[in-house]
Amino acid sequence: MKLLRELSKKYRVVSVVGMAKNAGKTTVLNYLIEEAADEGIALGITSTGRDGERKDIVTGTDKPGIYLWEDTMVTTPSGLYDMSEAGLEILRVTEYSGALGEILLCRVAEAGYVQTAGPVATADQRGICREMLDRGADMVLVDGAVDRRAIAAPEASDAVILATGAALSRSVAKVVEETMHVAGLYRLPEFSDQAARRIIAENGNSGRLTVFEKKGARFPDVTTGLAAGGVLNEAIGNETKYVYLPGALTEGVVAGVSPSKLKQIAFIVKNPTKIFIDSASWRLLRKKGLRVRVLKNVEIAALTVNPRAPEGYSFDRAALLSAMREAAGGIPVLDVRYAG
Amino acid sequence: MGANGIAVAKVDLKNIKPYGDTMNDGMMELTFTLPVPYGPEADEAAKILGRKMGLDEVSVVFSKDLGQGFTFFAMYGKCRHTVDFTAIKVAKADVEVMSREECQKYIENNIRRDVVVVGATTGTDAHTVGIDAIMNMKGFHGHYGLERYKGIEAINMGSQVSNEALVAKAIETGADAILVSQIVTQKDVHISNMTNLVEIIEAEGIRSRVVLCCGGPRISYELAQELGYDAGFGPHSYAEEVASFVLTEMVRRKLV
Ligand code: B12
């Protein structure tokens, strides 16, 4: 399957995010890098965490390295620069800095293994991705770290590849359920009330918590929906239709709303990365009437499965693939180790 | 020792060995406990273990009955293994550490307002000594905590704080920095707990506004980078290192 060629027709920034640590993100990245070399697609590579190290620093298990070809662009912090075997030409010392030093934007001058790490904040990642595109990359691949998925936000990535697998759970059914929960969130219906959308946009999109009534909108005096509990509940009146949360929608936020009010309203969030409700609670809360709409959802380019877990156990490859395909509702599912 | 801190007597940096009293003698001292009763069999067990660990000329120079079937040993042996020192590359981050007084001056000169720092041990973790060591007035090992710093308002929320509550507090107080402590690492709970915190901070739209630091016995710079933190502080960290990082980072990122 020519995955990258397909992706490059539609998207410029694609992030590879994981359902768990060791879900196979690096393997996916390597697969795409190899295809880019074959297809002559100029890549930029960055990471919201760190990638390319040979041993996982948490589990101590071996990890695949990242081999980059000449002229690929890549970010690496000053503290890891020496650890790359490739020849890296520093294009620019960026204004971004992380726990391992200043982030350097580099061009691979001599092919080889690279350790990559980029800005940890999503807003800064956007800056780096844009710069790599401006400097001539056809596409940028962002490697997400651990189970961090903020980079999937539509402002940051045009599409995501969601990596999942045995690392998530010892049960295939559970892996499928948890993964499809996230995939389901990424494909939530977009909020269709144009008048309300306009009001949100006028308040700078991210701006303020807004309560939409049958007629008009109010801005209660709460700085964040988190731990706002009672205040948020009181702000919801008989006529309230929607509550727009500029920030996170967590179980705690939902718990603060009384059962009858929960049935009456829908929560609006900016995008699915703002939702922090696990699959079991989601199912329960849906039964209690929880409704959520997003201003913009996340485009899932593909789901990838890794049948092996770092703990040593593994699933039957074909069984995992078919279980995931059956649930995926049309999203391409692949095991990149066998896709070539 | 030579001027640059490297032993002079013909050290072969490609094959370094432990130093006892002559170069490359490989001599090491080990202390440990075995769950067996004190006696000659116990000493022999310790020696066998030493050989398996790659030691030659093993001798048990001290052993003591700890009672209840345990024995403590001090053992000498010559290590067979060598390390190529020239091939070692370590991920580093260098922060220039200022003293408390220097930090206070730095705030006066460069920030000119109070700096708000909110800290907590999060999730189910109930260990408070680490975060207290950094934040509380009294500090740790004679290093005063952040509460003692003029110009820093340190809010220590204690332990078992939910990520939501920590972020809510940070937003409410307009915090410049968030400090999170994770001591319990069984089943890697600290990993998912810390990524969840970063993700909520991103979702609340304040990631670019705060300096985000984590700390604990298994935290390193590398892990901090992977988890999405600006810095990670491991064992033997003190308040002045944290303050120096937070303050210089605020200025560097123009958060003043
Ligand atoms: C004291 C202690 C307790 C006390 C805690 C009291 C309190 N108020 O904190 C009590 C008895 C309550 C306790 C309980 C438990 N404990 Co306990 N405890 C310890 C002990 C003995 C000392 C920890 C300590 O205080 N260290 C001193 C401080 C100063 O060091 P530190 O935490 O590393 O902090 C330094 C740095 O790491 C860093 N730092 C830390 N946090 C932060 C944060 C920031 C922002 C920064 C910048 C820096 C920073 O700076 C600090 C100063 O240099 C350790 C064993 C040991 N010797 O380490 C076990 C230990 C931590 N406990 C352990 C366990 C398992 C538990 C329990 C689960 C036991 C049980 N089965 O019930 C419970 C946990 C309950 C819970 N829900 O969390 C294990 C953890 C194992 C693991 N890797 O997960 C340990 C390692 C013991 C062991 N070997 O098994 N414990």
Side-chain angles (χ1 to χ4, degrees):
Chain A
M1 184 175 169
K2 295 284 181 215
L3 180 58
L4 192 72
R5 196 190 331 161
E6 289 307 311
L7 295 179
S8 70
K9 285 181 196 156
K10 288 191 271 184
Y11 316 117
R12 304 214 67 196
V13 177
V14 173
S15 57
V16 181
V17 296
M19 285 297 299
K21 200 170 168 52
N22 299 303
K25 290 183 293 287
T26 311
T27 307
V28 173
L29 199 66
N30 280 337
Y31 174 84
L32 296 172
I33 289 167
E34 204 167 304
E35 200 189 314
D38 294 345
E39 298 273 324
I41 295 171
L43 281 187
I45 303 287
T46 179
S47 173
T48 64
R50 174 193 184 203
D51 207 352
E53 70 279 20
R54 294 310 185 78
K55 278 232 183 299
D56 186 286
I57 57 165
V58 180
T59 58
T61 44
D62 290 334
K63 284 192 61 179
I66 295 179
Y67 191 94
L68 293 184
W69 301 92
E70 225 166 274
D71 286 335
T72 309
M73 269 181 266
V74 65
T75 60
T76 195
S78 51
L80 289 180
Y81 181 77
D82 273 350
M83 293 166 82
S84 286
E85 289 161 27
L88 296 179
E89 174 201 343
I90 300 174
L91 298 173
R92 189 168 81 86
V93 178
T94 72
E95 60 278 32
Y96 314 116
S97 181
L100 293 172
E102 288 164 313
I103 304 293
L104 313 172
L105 177 59
C106 302
R107 183 186 74 89
V108 178
E110 193 188 317
Y113 284 98
V114 170
Q115 291 215 18
T116 179
V120 291
T122 303
D124 298 343
Q125 272 292 348
R126 285 165 59 186
I128 278 287
C129 292
R130 215 173 302 124
E131 179 164 355
M132 290 200 275
L133 293 173
D134 289 347
R135 285 178 183 266
D138 295 322
M139 252 187 112
V140 176
L141 300 178
V142 187
D143 161 60
V146 200
D147 56 354
R148 288 164 51 207
R149 296 192 289 266
I151 191 70
E155 310 93 81
S157 304
D158 300 328
V160 301
I161 295 175
L162 184 57
T164 188
L168 191 56
S169 163
R170 283 177 182 269
S171 134
V172 173
K174 184 99 182 132
V175 170
V176 172
E177 181 193 325
E178 296 284 336
T179 308
M180 289 320 296
H181 168 60
V182 171
L185 296 181
Y186 285 1
R187 298 194 295 174
L188 276 173
E190 289 182 353
F191 186 43
S192 58
D193 184 329
Q194 294 308 322
R197 287 187 73 110
R198 251 192 316 279
I199 292 171
I200 294 168
E202 278 159 16
N203 283 282
N205 254 354
S206 56
R208 298 158 70 185
L209 192 144
T210 313
V211 173
F212 289 94
E213 307 289 0
K214 289 209 171 102
K215 286 189 200 84
R218 286 183 293 118
F219 304 96
D221 192 20
V222 275
T223 41
T224 163
L226 293 178
V231 187
L232 178 61
N233 192 49
E234 265 163 46
I236 300 171
N238 292 334
E239 305 274 275
T240 305
K241 286 163 68 182
Y242 325 115
V243 173
Y244 170 70
L245 287 173
L249 175 63
T250 64
E251 282 174 47
V253 172
V254 180
V257 177
S258 76
S260 59
K261 288 181 175 176
L262 186 62
K263 288 201 180 77
Q264 172 196 324
I265 62 154
F267 282 106
I268 315 300
V269 294
K270 220 172 157 187
N271 67 61
T273 66
K274 307 275 180 184
I275 305 171
F276 298 87
I277 302 177
D278 65 31
S279 66
S281 306
W282 180 261
R283 238 182 303 126
L284 205 76
L285 290 169
R286 293 273 300 156
K287 283 199 188 118
K288 293 185 177 169
L290 173 69
R291 279 180 299 147
V292 184
R293 298 286 178 271
V294 297
L295 293 185
K296 194 160 175 32
N297 57 25
V298 170
E299 177 99 1
I300 307 174
L303 287 171
T304 63
V305 295
N306 173 9
R308 283 183 285 183
E311 288 86 353
Y313 65 88
S314 58
F315 298 149
D316 176 58
R317 197 181 69 77
L320 177 64
L321 258 181
S322 68
M324 194 60 88
R325 281 196 176 127
E326 196 169 310
I331 307 169
V333 180
L334 58 158
D335 178 344
V336 292
R337 270 181 206 279
Y338 295 90
Chain B
M1 295 292 227
N4 54 5
I6 289 174
V8 276
K10 279 181 277 158
V11 56
D12 175 6
L13 289 177
K14 282 188 147 333
N15 294 294
I16 56 164
K17 267 191 155 189
Y19 178 96
D21 57 10
T22 46
M23 189 59 73
N24 296 329
D25 61 12
M27 192 60 87
M28 299 178 87
E29 179 186 337
L30 285 74
T31 58
F32 56 94
T33 301
L34 289 178
V36 293
Y38 178 70
E41 291 83 2
D43 282 11
E44 190 53 30
K47 282 194 227 163
I48 293 171
L49 185 63
R51 281 183 215 112
K52 285 191 171 174
M53 290 170 70
L55 301 177
D56 288 330
E57 297 173 43
V58 188
S59 62
V60 170
V61 293
F62 176 78
S63 56
K64 185 174 171 17
D65 189 352
L66 294 179
Q68 295 174 353
F70 287 86
T71 307
F72 175 81
F73 306 91
M75 189 167 81
Y76 286 167
K78 293 185 167 178
C79 182
R80 267 176 246 148
H81 303 295
T82 63
V83 170
D84 182 356
F85 187 72
T86 62
I88 294 176
K89 288 173 182 172
V90 184
K92 287 192 247 318
D94 26 31
V95 181
E96 259 182 57
V97 180
M98 300 183 279
S99 69
R100 179 170 58 99
E101 291 75 13
E102 287 166 339
C103 285
Q104 293 171 170
K105 265 259 135 48
Y106 189 87
I107 297 174
E108 257 177 59
N109 294 337
N110 300 286
I111 302 182
R112 293 181 215 92
R113 63 168 174 85
D114 276 4
V115 171
V116 181
V117 177
V118 178
T121 305
T122 53
T124 55
D125 199 332
H127 295 85
T128 54
V129 183
I131 191 79
D132 288 352
I134 304 299
M135 296 192 80
N136 285 10
M137 196 65 91
K138 186 162 124 267
F140 181 58
H141 281 180
H143 299 253
Y144 291 131
L146 299 179
E147 279 177 3
R148 176 84 59 144
Y149 286 54
K150 219 162 96 246
I152 294 185
E153 186 191 334
I155 304 166
N156 183 348
M157 296 175 73
S159 65
Q160 298 195 318
V161 174
S162 72
N163 287 332
E164 292 172 72
L166 175 56
V167 178
K169 177 63 101 187
I171 292 173
E172 179 198 316
T173 58
D176 298 295
I178 298 178
L179 307 184
V180 54
S181 178
Q182 290 283 270
I183 310 301
V184 175
T185 57
Q186 287 163 327
K187 295 190 186 143
D188 294 330
V189 282
H190 62 307
I191 302 293
S192 48
N193 192 31
M194 284 198 285
T195 54
N196 177 257
L197 177 65
V198 173
E199 297 268 294
I200 292 179
I201 288 172
E202 282 274 4
E204 286 290 311
I206 60 165
R207 183 62 186 89
S208 303
R209 278 202 264 135
V210 295
V211 179
L212 183 57
C213 304
C214 54
R218 275 185 57 196
I219 305 289
S220 64
Y221 297 126
E222 289 157 287
L223 186 64
Q225 167 69 33
E226 181 152 357
L227 299 180
Y229 287 70
D230 295 316
F233 295 87
H236 318 298
S237 303
Y238 297 119
E240 50 267 47
E241 295 162 29
V242 183
S244 302
F245 176 76
V246 167
L247 300 175
T248 49
E249 184 71 0
M250 280 176 66
V251 169
R252 195 186 67 75
R253 276 162 57 185
K254 304 190 177 66
L255 300 175
V256 296

PDB file of all heavy atoms in Angstrom, chain A residues 76-80 96-104, chain B residues 92-94 225 230:
ATOM      1  N   THR A  76      16.154  18.510  16.511  1.00  0.00           N
ATOM      2  CA  THR A  76      16.806  17.782  17.592  1.00  0.00           C
ATOM      3  C   THR A  76      17.280  18.812  18.608  1.00  0.00           C
ATOM      4  O   THR A  76      17.646  19.921  18.231  1.00  0.00           O
ATOM      5  CB  THR A  76      17.958  16.893  17.064  1.00  0.00           C
ATOM      6  OG1 THR A  76      18.320  15.957  18.069  1.00  0.00           O
ATOM      7  CG2 THR A  76      19.180  17.702  16.673  1.00  0.00           C
ATOM      8  N   PRO A  77      17.225  18.498  19.900  1.00  0.00           N
ATOM      9  CA  PRO A  77      17.706  19.475  20.877  1.00  0.00           C
ATOM     10  C   PRO A  77      19.226  19.424  20.993  1.00  0.00           C
ATOM     11  O   PRO A  77      19.837  18.399  20.671  1.00  0.00           O
ATOM     12  CB  PRO A  77      17.056  19.025  22.175  1.00  0.00           C
ATOM     13  CG  PRO A  77      16.746  17.593  21.994  1.00  0.00           C
ATOM     14  CD  PRO A  77      16.657  17.306  20.534  1.00  0.00           C
ATOM     15  N   SER A  78      19.816  20.524  21.452  1.00  0.00           N
ATOM     16  CA  SER A  78      21.276  20.577  21.555  1.00  0.00           C
ATOM     17  C   SER A  78      21.808  19.409  22.387  1.00  0.00           C
ATOM     18  O   SER A  78      22.857  18.861  22.092  1.00  0.00           O
ATOM     19  CB  SER A  78      21.723  21.917  22.128  1.00  0.00           C
ATOM     20  OG  SER A  78      21.017  22.180  23.323  1.00  0.00           O
ATOM     21  N   GLY A  79      21.036  18.976  23.404  1.00  0.00           N
ATOM     22  CA  GLY A  79      21.491  17.900  24.268  1.00  0.00           C
ATOM     23  C   GLY A  79      21.512  16.537  23.606  1.00  0.00           C
ATOM     24  O   GLY A  79      22.091  15.592  24.133  1.00  0.00           O
ATOM     25  N   LEU A  80      20.864  16.398  22.443  1.00  0.00           N
ATOM     26  CA  LEU A  80      20.866  15.105  21.745  1.00  0.00           C
ATOM     27  C   LEU A  80      21.647  15.170  20.430  1.00  0.00           C
ATOM     28  O   LEU A  80      21.829  14.151  19.765  1.00  0.00           O
ATOM     29  CB  LEU A  80      19.421  14.655  21.436  1.00  0.00           C
ATOM     30  CG  LEU A  80      18.547  14.211  22.597  1.00  0.00           C
ATOM     31  CD1 LEU A  80      17.164  13.806  22.090  1.00  0.00           C
ATOM     32  CD2 LEU A  80      19.180  13.053  23.350  1.00  0.00           C
ATOM     33  N   TYR A  96      12.715  27.843  20.417  1.00  0.00           N
ATOM     34  CA  TYR A  96      12.103  26.853  21.296  1.00  0.00           C
ATOM     35  C   TYR A  96      13.183  26.117  22.067  1.00  0.00           C
ATOM     36  O   TYR A  96      14.277  25.892  21.569  1.00  0.00           O
ATOM     37  CB  TYR A  96      11.275  25.843  20.497  1.00  0.00           C
ATOM     38  CG  TYR A  96      10.385  26.509  19.484  1.00  0.00           C
ATOM     39  CD1 TYR A  96      10.570  26.300  18.112  1.00  0.00           C
ATOM     40  CD2 TYR A  96       9.374  27.372  19.895  1.00  0.00           C
ATOM     41  CE1 TYR A  96       9.765  26.923  17.175  1.00  0.00           C
ATOM     42  CE2 TYR A  96       8.567  28.003  18.975  1.00  0.00           C
ATOM     43  CZ  TYR A  96       8.764  27.779  17.612  1.00  0.00           C
ATOM     44  OH  TYR A  96       7.971  28.404  16.697  1.00  0.00           O
ATOM     45  N   SER A  97      12.814  25.733  23.285  1.00  0.00           N
ATOM     46  CA  SER A  97      13.785  25.049  24.110  1.00  0.00           C
ATOM     47  C   SER A  97      13.050  24.037  24.957  1.00  0.00           C
ATOM     48  O   SER A  97      11.879  24.212  25.272  1.00  0.00           O
ATOM     49  CB  SER A  97      14.486  26.092  24.978  1.00  0.00           C
ATOM     50  OG  SER A  97      15.447  25.480  25.769  1.00  0.00           O
ATOM     51  N   GLY A  98      13.732  22.956  25.289  1.00  0.00           N
ATOM     52  CA  GLY A  98      13.073  21.933  26.093  1.00  0.00           C
ATOM     53  C   GLY A  98      14.015  21.420  27.159  1.00  0.00           C
ATOM     54  O   GLY A  98      15.092  21.983  27.379  1.00  0.00           O
ATOM     55  N   ALA A  99      13.604  20.333  27.804  1.00  0.00           N
ATOM     56  CA  ALA A  99      14.388  19.782  28.901  1.00  0.00           C
ATOM     57  C   ALA A  99      15.770  19.333  28.430  1.00  0.00           C
ATOM     58  O   ALA A  99      16.681  19.187  29.239  1.00  0.00           O
ATOM     59  CB  ALA A  99      13.638  18.625  29.546  1.00  0.00           C
ATOM     60  N   LEU A 100      15.938  19.115  27.122  1.00  0.00           N
ATOM     61  CA  LEU A 100      17.235  18.673  26.611  1.00  0.00           C
ATOM     62  C   LEU A 100      17.940  19.773  25.819  1.00  0.00           C
ATOM     63  O   LEU A 100      18.809  19.502  24.990  1.00  0.00           O
ATOM     64  CB  LEU A 100      17.069  17.413  25.757  1.00  0.00           C
ATOM     65  CG  LEU A 100      16.631  16.175  26.545  1.00  0.00           C
ATOM     66  CD1 LEU A 100      16.296  15.022  25.631  1.00  0.00           C
ATOM     67  CD2 LEU A 100      17.709  15.755  27.529  1.00  0.00           C
ATOM     68  N   GLY A 101      17.535  20.998  26.058  1.00  0.00           N
ATOM     69  CA  GLY A 101      18.249  22.123  25.453  1.00  0.00           C
ATOM     70  C   GLY A 101      17.492  22.785  24.316  1.00  0.00           C
ATOM     71  O   GLY A 101      16.330  22.472  24.054  1.00  0.00           O
ATOM     72  N   GLU A 102      18.193  23.713  23.658  1.00  0.00           N
ATOM     73  CA  GLU A 102      17.566  24.449  22.558  1.00  0.00           C
ATOM     74  C   GLU A 102      17.239  23.506  21.419  1.00  0.00           C
ATOM     75  O   GLU A 102      18.013  22.611  21.093  1.00  0.00           O
ATOM     76  CB  GLU A 102      18.544  25.497  22.017  1.00  0.00           C
ATOM     77  CG  GLU A 102      18.748  26.664  22.947  1.00  0.00           C
ATOM     78  CD  GLU A 102      19.969  27.473  22.580  1.00  0.00           C
ATOM     79  OE1 GLU A 102      21.046  26.850  22.351  1.00  0.00           O
ATOM     80  OE2 GLU A 102      19.860  28.705  22.518  1.00  0.00           O
ATOM     81  N   ILE A 103      16.096  23.731  20.795  1.00  0.00           N
ATOM     82  CA  ILE A 103      15.709  22.889  19.667  1.00  0.00           C
ATOM     83  C   ILE A 103      16.396  23.411  18.403  1.00  0.00           C
ATOM     84  O   ILE A 103      16.288  24.591  18.070  1.00  0.00           O
ATOM     85  CB  ILE A 103      14.172  22.902  19.478  1.00  0.00           C
ATOM     86  CG1 ILE A 103      13.448  22.474  20.770  1.00  0.00           C
ATOM     87  CG2 ILE A 103      13.768  22.025  18.296  1.00  0.00           C
ATOM     88  CD1 ILE A 103      13.646  21.039  21.183  1.00  0.00           C
ATOM     89  N   LEU A 104      17.115  22.527  17.735  1.00  0.00           N
ATOM     90  CA  LEU A 104      17.828  22.886  16.514  1.00  0.00           C
ATOM     91  C   LEU A 104      17.050  22.356  15.316  1.00  0.00           C
ATOM     92  O   LEU A 104      16.616  21.200  15.315  1.00  0.00           O
ATOM     93  CB  LEU A 104      19.227  22.248  16.506  1.00  0.00           C
ATOM     94  CG  LEU A 104      20.044  22.400  17.789  1.00  0.00           C
ATOM     95  CD1 LEU A 104      21.318  21.564  17.705  1.00  0.00           C
ATOM     96  CD2 LEU A 104      20.369  23.867  18.029  1.00  0.00           C
TER      97      LEU A 104
ATOM     98  N   LYS B  92      22.106  15.765  27.961  1.00  0.00           N
ATOM     99  CA  LYS B  92      22.335  16.732  29.036  1.00  0.00           C
ATOM    100  C   LYS B  92      21.475  17.965  28.851  1.00  0.00           C
ATOM    101  O   LYS B  92      21.049  18.294  27.770  1.00  0.00           O
ATOM    102  CB  LYS B  92      23.797  17.203  29.002  1.00  0.00           C
ATOM    103  CG  LYS B  92      24.792  16.182  29.491  1.00  0.00           C
ATOM    104  CD  LYS B  92      26.129  16.837  29.699  1.00  0.00           C
ATOM    105  CE  LYS B  92      27.181  16.453  28.832  1.00  0.00           C
ATOM    106  NZ  LYS B  92      27.900  15.747  28.168  1.00  0.00           N
ATOM    107  N   ALA B  93      21.250  18.618  29.936  1.00  0.00           N
ATOM    108  CA  ALA B  93      20.651  19.944  29.862  1.00  0.00           C
ATOM    109  C   ALA B  93      21.385  20.768  30.887  1.00  0.00           C
ATOM    110  O   ALA B  93      21.616  20.297  31.989  1.00  0.00           O
ATOM    111  CB  ALA B  93      19.174  19.893  30.198  1.00  0.00           C
ATOM    112  N   ASP B  94      21.838  21.939  30.511  1.00  0.00           N
ATOM    113  CA  ASP B  94      22.535  22.694  31.553  1.00  0.00           C
ATOM    114  C   ASP B  94      21.786  23.950  31.946  1.00  0.00           C
ATOM    115  O   ASP B  94      21.427  24.779  31.126  1.00  0.00           O
ATOM    116  CB  ASP B  94      23.982  23.015  31.216  1.00  0.00           C
ATOM    117  CG  ASP B  94      24.227  23.067  29.725  1.00  0.00           C
ATOM    118  OD1 ASP B  94      23.275  23.444  29.001  1.00  0.00           O
ATOM    119  OD2 ASP B  94      25.322  22.749  29.287  1.00  0.00           O
ATOM    120  N   GLN B 225      11.376  15.478  28.675  1.00  0.00           N
ATOM    121  CA  GLN B 225      11.183  15.833  27.262  1.00  0.00           C
ATOM    122  C   GLN B 225      10.114  14.935  26.633  1.00  0.00           C
ATOM    123  O   GLN B 225       9.221  15.387  25.933  1.00  0.00           O
ATOM    124  CB  GLN B 225      12.511  15.699  26.504  1.00  0.00           C
ATOM    125  CG  GLN B 225      12.398  15.729  24.983  1.00  0.00           C
ATOM    126  CD  GLN B 225      12.006  17.090  24.431  1.00  0.00           C
ATOM    127  OE1 GLN B 225      12.373  18.122  24.981  1.00  0.00           O
ATOM    128  NE2 GLN B 225      11.248  17.108  23.333  1.00  0.00           N
ATOM    129  N   ASP B 230       8.851  21.003  30.610  1.00  0.00           N
ATOM    130  CA  ASP B 230       9.977  21.875  30.289  1.00  0.00           C
ATOM    131  C   ASP B 230      11.245  21.418  31.006  1.00  0.00           C
ATOM    132  O   ASP B 230      12.345  21.673  30.531  1.00  0.00           O
ATOM    133  CB  ASP B 230       9.659  23.325  30.667  1.00  0.00           C
ATOM    134  CG  ASP B 230       8.511  23.869  29.828  1.00  0.00           C
ATOM    135  OD1 ASP B 230       8.531  23.633  28.609  1.00  0.00           O
ATOM    136  OD2 ASP B 230       7.591  24.479  30.388  1.00  0.00           O
TER     137      ASP B 230
END
